[in-house]
Amino acid sequence: MAMLAFKSEEQSQLQLVEREEIDDEEDLFEAIDKLISHGINAGDVKKLQDAGIYSCNGLMMQTKKSLTGIKGLSEAKVDKICEAAEKIVNFGYITGSDALLRRKSVVRITTGSQALDELLGGGIETLAITEAFGEFRSGKTQLAHTLCVSTQLPTNMRGGNGKVAYIDTEGTFRPDRIVPIAERFGMDPGAVLDNIIYARAYTYEHQYNLLVGLAAKMAEEPFRLLIVDSVIALFRVDFTGRGELADRQQKLAQMLSRLTKIAEEFNVAVYMTNQVIADPGGGVFISDPKKPAGGHVLAHAATIRLMFRKGKGEQRVCKVFDAPNLPEAEHIFQITPGGIADAKD
């Protein structure tokens, strides 16, 4: 599998060379085919793949109820499959030291701005969902476009050395925007665009099915980033009124659960943008009574929440709204023709 990497330090242009296999990945990812050597019928393994399950890790993230819902799999077969998967993948308790070792597989992808990277502890993390919310024109989609390029940088350049999947629900992806960003990073725009797979979603069901189909691609090729821009837009259109709110939140929870599983199963970073809603109950003392859409369901699903707002001119402000390991702080960055960059004084 060819990926972008440096041929020599003197060259500013990145060339396509063979991607080196990363040994650490083998521990994270156990192909579903391994079940065959544990006595599972190849036909049953094919049924799992048709349902979007391509690894033993992904299989263990499913409930037995959802597995028996797959055509041709009885309860007895599901029990046997799960028993075989448990022998391949350890989903039980591990020590804190082992958990720390597992965290070493986390890749941090540069945002293009050093100040923003420092705010995020090194960049956008794999094995996690990073949510960016803010008004229109606050820089959320611009960061998505910059990450499309920076993810393909070699790891020694604070990239992810991997491909990008982009699910667009608002029609804001612009491939021509990728070209100047790739040139800024000294990369071949054509090769960069070839390493981005893009899909335009029109309904929340279409959006979910795109995520299911993504497992097949991620099992075969080295992906490092999944972008969903935006995660909530189609839910706000397809569900209307308070009468459908409970159903909407349940469907949204299922979608977010799928995103979490993709992040952890394939060691990818999930970057999703979110819209804001007016909060009339915010009180007179709050200068900007807006809050992220999606309610508590979305708030609990996101690992890291970033709040974006406009600054002067092309400057934008990013604030860490919620994160398990980052202090609450903010930094200014700038939108340039070459993507996200440090703000100029």
Side-chain angles (χ1 to χ4, degrees):
M1 178 63 224
M3 283 305 301
L4 291 164
F6 268 125
K7 205 170 183 181
S8 67
E9 287 184 4
E10 289 77 26
Q11 286 180 303
S12 61
Q13 192 73 14
L14 287 158
Q15 303 293 334
L16 282 170
V17 296
E18 285 298 313
R19 176 183 179 268
E20 291 179 9
E21 289 300 318
I22 303 167
D23 293 334
D24 296 344
E25 294 266 303
E26 298 303 315
D27 299 328
L28 286 167
F29 186 90
E30 298 287 357
I32 201 82
D33 296 342
K34 289 191 178 179
L35 289 174
I36 297 169
S37 62
H38 284 72
I40 304 300
N41 189 317
D44 292 338
V45 170
K46 178 73 170 64
K47 286 168 190 168
L48 292 170
Q49 289 175 329
D50 291 341
I53 301 165
Y54 281 81
S55 74
C56 294
N57 310 58
L59 174 68
M60 297 301 288
M61 291 174 184
Q62 303 288 330
T63 61
K64 285 189 178 179
K65 183 183 174 184
S66 67
L67 291 172
T68 49
I70 298 169
K71 194 177 178 183
L73 292 186
S74 63
E75 276 189 45
K77 276 186 179 179
V78 167
D79 286 340
K80 192 180 174 186
I81 288 167
C82 290
E83 203 176 298
E86 281 170 13
K87 291 174 185 174
I88 300 167
V89 184
N90 174 26
F91 259 63
Y93 290 105
I94 58 169
T95 65
S97 300
D98 289 337
L100 184 63
L101 277 172
R102 280 192 185 179
R103 288 289 298 167
K104 286 187 177 177
S105 64
V106 171
V107 178
R108 289 178 176 82
I109 301 161
T110 180
T111 59
S113 161
Q114 198 171 337
L116 206 51
D117 287 348
E118 286 172 11
L119 182 74
L120 298 173
I124 303 290
E125 282 188 5
T126 60
L127 295 175
I129 295 178
T130 302
E131 174 208 348
F133 69 88
E135 287 185 278
F136 62 94
R137 213 172 66 81
S138 59
K140 306 183 300 292
T141 300
Q142 293 300 321
L143 177 55
H145 281 71
T146 306
L147 288 169
C148 279
V149 179
S150 64
T151 300
Q152 300 183 42
L153 286 167
T155 47
N156 63 352
M157 284 189 68
R158 297 185 300 135
N161 195 35
K163 290 191 166 195
V164 179
Y166 198 118
I167 296 174
D168 183 5
T169 67
E170 297 181 352
T172 50
F173 178 70
R174 295 290 178 271
D176 45 301
R177 183 79 183 91
I178 298 294
V179 175
I181 300 172
E183 288 169 351
R184 167 201 166 183
F185 284 102
M187 298 165 84
D188 173 26
V192 168
L193 285 165
D194 284 342
N195 283 322
I196 299 168
I197 61 167
Y198 167 82
R200 173 79 165 93
Y202 292 97
T203 67
Y204 81 92
E205 288 169 333
H206 185 200
Q207 188 178 340
Y208 186 82
N209 290 337
L210 285 169
L211 291 176
V212 173
L214 201 54
K217 295 183 183 299
M218 289 191 168
E220 291 169 7
E221 299 179 90
F223 280 83
R224 270 293 163 270
L225 177 69
L226 166 60
I227 294 169
V228 184
D229 184 20
S230 76
V231 72
I232 197 75
L234 298 175
F235 286 88
R236 294 178 83 174
V237 173
D238 296 342
F239 295 90
T240 53
R242 285 192 176 273
E244 293 186 354
L245 185 62
D247 193 26
R248 184 193 90 164
Q249 291 302 88
Q250 186 185 28
K251 294 286 193 295
L252 179 62
Q254 288 170 354
M255 173 95 59
L256 294 166
S257 172
R258 191 83 194 181
L259 287 172
T260 305
K261 287 168 184 175
I262 286 171
E264 295 189 15
E265 186 180 346
F266 300 106
N267 191 19
V268 299
V270 175
Y271 172 76
M272 63 182 188
T273 66
N274 190 12
Q275 300 170 345
V276 290
I277 54 173
D279 183 15
V284 292
F285 301 108
I286 298 172
S287 59
D288 192 20
K290 294 182 188 70
K291 61 181 183 180
H296 294 291
V297 165
L298 207 149
H300 290 300
T303 320
I304 298 157
R305 304 193 91 188
L306 305 175
M307 182 171 73
F308 282 48
R309 67 177 192 271
K310 300 176 189 117
K312 293 177 185 176
E314 292 301 313
Q315 290 188 350
R316 302 290 184 269
V317 181
C318 173
K319 179 182 180 180
V320 174
F321 194 74
D322 175 41
N325 59 338
L326 300 171
E328 192 174 299
E330 60 181 50
H331 268 302
I332 299 169
F333 65 92
Q334 192 155 339
I335 299 170
T336 70
I340 299 294
D342 284 326
K344 292 172 186 172
D345 296 328

